[in-house]
Amino acid sequence: MKLNFDIIVENLSKSYHTKRFESNDSRCLYKRPFLYEKNCVFEKERIYIAPIESYKYLFITEEVVYPKGITFVFIGDYQFDGIPSSIDARILFIDNTANLISVFHDIHKIFDKYDAWENSLRDELENSNDIDIEKMLNIGTEMLENPICVTNQNLQVLFDSYYYLQEDKKGQAAAGETRHLSIDDSIRVKEVCKKEQKIKTPYISSIHMENRAYCFNLYPLGYFAGCIAVVELNRTFRDSDFFLANHFFVYFQKAFLKHLRYYQPKESIFELALRKALNKEL
């Protein structure tokens, strides 16, 4: 699984003192890191780890040519408040308390963590025709550390997954009891959702509730079938959460399609066309 710069920095910042600088392209995704060697041939979408001495050689003395979509992680005592505007790369400085090889291994561990998460999503999706939606939700909840809620096209809650901290401080996801909104809240939510259900990309809902929700409308069969939302309850959203949630939504919509096909009777072509037409009129 390729990772973005936010995920790398947020995970490394748990163990190291870091300072980041970056280009404006937030869509870059990266493959596993290499140790930088002088005069090496750079690869796109690659992270290069180097001692701080290499920074001057790469960007000041020699101005080495490198491809776009590349990240450098420099280890050592840095004295920079900024970097030249000509540098079109993402750069992360880690202070000299860190060991270059340790950082290299720790970044690989970060990739291992998210590869294992994606593999668990893929395994559950491909497990059988009778997909376990609650298990799929729990896999997402444990990574995002916030509850996830799924509603149907009538905004009735189908599935809930909560995140609980155990005594050993490790989090665990579990299905929660179905929640019911007050009449006033229900009316307000339905009014907003009628407008937002046409949105085909993930979004922060404009519903004014106690907690923000990052939502994705489910269109597994070409019509609005429901919505999945990550709720900002246990902790505030991190920059990396949006990328991870988007990645999870792709898997979940495929799982939801399998769920619908398994539990709901097959619709005729006429019924499917009618449902699509009704959704367009909403």
Side-chain angles (χ1 to χ4, degrees):
M1 176 178 175
K2 293 181 182 178
L3 303 179
N4 69 6
F5 194 53
D6 290 327
I7 294 175
I8 301 297
V9 175
E10 287 173 13
N11 279 271
L12 287 176
S13 296
K14 296 175 183 178
S15 304
Y16 302 103
H17 183 265
T18 63
K19 191 167 186 177
R20 64 187 285 178
F21 299 93
E22 55 192 290
S23 64
N24 294 324
D25 190 355
S26 60
R27 297 167 298 176
C28 289
L29 300 178
Y30 299 97
K31 296 176 283 191
R32 288 175 178 265
F34 284 168
L35 292 174
Y36 167 72
E37 295 179 286
K38 193 173 181 180
N39 299 323
C40 69
V41 178
F42 290 111
E43 294 182 14
K44 286 183 177 181
E45 302 177 344
R46 187 69 71 181
I47 300 169
Y48 289 89
I49 304 173
I52 193 64
E53 294 78 15
S54 299
Y55 172 81
K56 186 175 181 180
Y57 170 79
L58 282 165
F59 301 115
I60 299 175
T61 306
E62 297 294 330
E63 295 187 358
V64 174
V65 177
Y66 51 88
K68 287 186 176 182
I70 195 171
T71 283
F72 291 97
V73 178
F74 293 106
I75 316 297
D77 185 18
Y78 58 87
Q79 302 293 331
F80 308 106
D81 292 323
I83 60 174
S85 59
S86 59
I87 298 178
D88 187 18
R90 296 188 169 199
I91 292 180
L92 180 67
F93 293 113
I94 299 180
D95 67 20
N96 56 10
T97 60
N99 176 279
L100 187 144
I101 299 300
S102 295
V103 172
F104 176 76
H105 289 316
D106 284 343
I107 294 179
H108 273 281
K109 289 177 183 177
I110 294 169
F111 276 87
D112 289 343
K113 170 185 174 181
Y114 292 98
D115 279 347
W117 179 61
E118 182 173 48
N119 288 338
S120 64
L121 290 171
R122 185 183 296 112
D123 289 345
E124 186 57 38
L125 182 63
E126 298 175 352
N127 185 31
S128 65
N129 290 327
D130 184 10
I131 190 80
D132 189 338
I133 289 289
E134 289 186 351
K135 185 176 180 181
M136 177 74 78
L137 277 183
N138 288 341
I139 293 171
T141 298
E142 288 184 358
M143 177 57 71
L144 294 167
E145 299 178 346
N146 269 314
I148 300 177
C149 175
V150 181
T151 59
N152 64 13
Q153 64 267 39
N154 298 316
L155 303 182
Q156 297 171 320
V157 176
L158 296 177
F159 305 99
D160 253 340
S161 180
Y162 287 86
Y163 184 76
Y164 303 95
L165 280 176
Q166 300 173 307
E167 292 182 1
D168 58 3
K169 301 299 181 182
K170 289 185 177 180
Q172 182 177 13
E177 295 182 2
T178 302
R179 297 171 291 167
H180 298 281
L181 297 174
S182 67
I183 295 176
D184 289 342
D185 283 344
S186 180
I187 292 173
R188 187 152 42 94
V189 167
K190 286 185 177 181
E191 287 177 350
V192 175
C193 286
K194 279 186 178 180
K195 299 176 183 177
E196 293 184 340
Q197 73 180 41
K198 297 178 181 179
I199 302 173
K200 298 291 183 69
T201 56
Y203 61 96
I204 295 285
S205 177
S206 60
I207 297 173
H208 296 293
M209 302 289 281
E210 186 177 350
N211 308 105
R212 291 192 302 169
Y214 188 57
C215 306
F216 179 62
N217 293 324
L218 300 167
Y219 280 82
L221 294 169
Y223 60 83
F224 177 71
C227 178
I228 180 171
V230 183
V231 183
E232 193 178 42
L233 181 64
N234 293 37
R235 61 165 176 78
T236 56
F237 289 145
R238 301 178 185 135
D239 290 338
S240 63
D241 286 339
F242 301 106
F243 169 80
L244 293 172
N246 292 349
H247 197 75
F248 174 70
F249 291 157
V250 172
Y251 276 94
F252 184 82
Q253 177 152 259
K254 293 177 181 178
F256 194 63
L257 174 59
K258 292 182 73 171
H259 172 79
L260 290 178
R261 284 176 171 168
Y262 187 83
Y263 286 102
Q264 293 185 1
K266 292 183 179 180
E267 293 181 307
S268 68
I269 295 175
F270 173 77
E271 289 171 326
L272 183 58
L274 179 60
R275 185 185 291 273
K276 288 182 178 180
L278 289 172
N279 272 272
K280 288 179 181 178
E281 292 175 3
L282 291 176

